[in-house]
């Protein structure tokens, strides 16, 4: 689902191909209606990922489950071995996918932690991730985004440090001029930049 939400399919064929590639069995022809259904479903699922609190997330997810899932039943269709469907039989791919994603999201969040779904912290990325990490503290969709943000924060810290140093230096100069005698302030500047000249100009 994350892939479909990140780059929504443009045609029913593309939707079918991507579901097959993800290991889903497709028993019925995929229609324009299936595609429309999924494109309409994506923002509702993203709202679950964007929920601010666990309670809000549960409310939104329960609404999806109510409209997408049905009572569980045991089936062995498509030679896949016995397994559970949380949906009615004979549905199109759009409805199947909505049920699979809603139930899958519910199982993931209740099994591993309600907070384990979110958006990448990198501002310009914003991709959704499902957190399967051991510690459950994932904040980025991938290592590339985490690295890029780490480099950016490091540079921002360095720039802020330089700015602070500049301000301190300027403050010293300004303080020296304002104090009139300048003995304690200007003389103490270790880099010696311009101190000599400033002192020589003073009527000491
Ligand atoms: Zn099945
Ligand atoms: Zn990212």
């Amino acid at each position: 689902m994350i892939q479909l939400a990140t780059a929504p399919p443009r045609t029913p064929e593309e939707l079918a191909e991507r579901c097959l590639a993800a290991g889903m069995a497709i028993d019925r022809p995929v229609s324009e209606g299936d595609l429309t259904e999924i494109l309409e479903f994506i923002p509702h699922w993203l709202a679950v990922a964007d929920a601010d609190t666990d309670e809000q997330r549960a409310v939104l997810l329960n609404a999806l489950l109510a409209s997408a899932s049905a009572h569980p039943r045991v089936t062995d269709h498509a030679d896949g071995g016995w397994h559970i469907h949380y949906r009615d039989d004979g549905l199109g791919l759009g409805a199947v996918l909505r049920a699979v994603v809603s139930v899958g999201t519910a199982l993931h969040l209740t099994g591993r932690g309600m907070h384990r779904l979110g958006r990448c912290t990198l501002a310009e990325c914003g991709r959704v991730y499902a957190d399967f990490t051991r510690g459950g503290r994932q904040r980025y969709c991938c290592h590339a985004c985490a690295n890029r943000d780490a480099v950016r924060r490091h540079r921002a810290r360095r720039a802020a440090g330089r700015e602070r140093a500049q301000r301190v230096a300027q403050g010293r100069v300004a303080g020296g001029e304002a104090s009139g005698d300048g003995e304690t302030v200007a003389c103490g500047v270790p880099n010696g930049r311009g101190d000599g000249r400033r002192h020589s100009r003073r009527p000491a």
Side-chain angles (χ1 to χ4, degrees), residues 58-71 86 98-99 102-103:
V59 167
L60 294 172
L61 183 53
N62 279 337
L64 291 191
L65 287 165
S67 75
S69 66
H71 67 80
Y86 295 87
R98 286 195 300 121
S102 302
V103 173

Side-chain angles (χ1 to χ4, degrees), residues 5-198:
T6 303
R10 279 150 300 187
T11 63
E13 293 74 29
E14 189 190 336
L15 174 62
E17 273 168 32
R18 289 170 64 176
C19 287
L20 281 174
M24 278 182 71
I26 296 180
D27 329 306
R28 293 158 53 103
V30 179
S31 69
E32 228 20 271
D34 291 319
L35 178 64
T36 307
E37 196 171 344
I38 289 310
L39 295 181
E40 281 172 2
F41 175 76
I42 286 172
H44 293 287
W45 184 75
L46 288 176
V48 174
D50 287 335
D52 293 324
T53 63
D54 292 353
E55 289 74 20
Q56 180 65 13
R57 181 165 281 181
V59 167
L60 294 172
L61 183 53
N62 279 337
L64 291 191
L65 287 165
S67 75
S69 66
H71 67 80
R73 69 203 72 197
V74 169
T75 171
D76 72 340
H77 73 114
D79 294 332
W82 291 99
H83 59 284
I84 300 174
H85 278 181
Y86 295 87
R87 56 178 164 85
D88 296 327
D89 293 330
L91 298 175
L93 181 63
V96 170
L97 204 50
R98 286 195 300 121
V100 166
V101 169
S102 302
V103 173
T105 303
L107 290 172
H108 169 72
L109 294 177
T110 53
R112 292 174 186 264
M114 285 298 281
H115 65 287
R116 285 173 174 257
L117 188 66
R119 294 261 193 175
C120 184
T121 304
L122 188 70
E124 69 269 28
C125 174
R127 257 194 299 255
V128 174
Y129 61 79
D131 183 352
F132 288 94
T133 62
R134 183 186 290 262
R137 284 190 240 288
Q138 188 170 337
R139 289 171 58 231
Y140 299 91
C141 71
C142 61
H143 285 301
C145 281
N147 288 340
R148 195 173 306 167
D149 216 27
V151 168
R152 186 171 301 166
R153 275 180 286 126
H154 176 69
R155 284 193 185 135
R157 265 200 307 276
R158 260 204 337 221
R162 267 200 306 273
E163 210 173 278
R164 213 175 306 124
Q166 252 163 27
R167 266 205 309 275
V168 167
Q170 279 164 5
R172 276 173 176 158
V173 170
E177 280 166 1
S179 65
D181 58 56
E183 271 170 35
T184 52
V185 182
C187 295
V189 174
N191 64 16
R193 185 159 52 103
D195 286 336
R197 265 186 296 138
R198 287 199 309 108

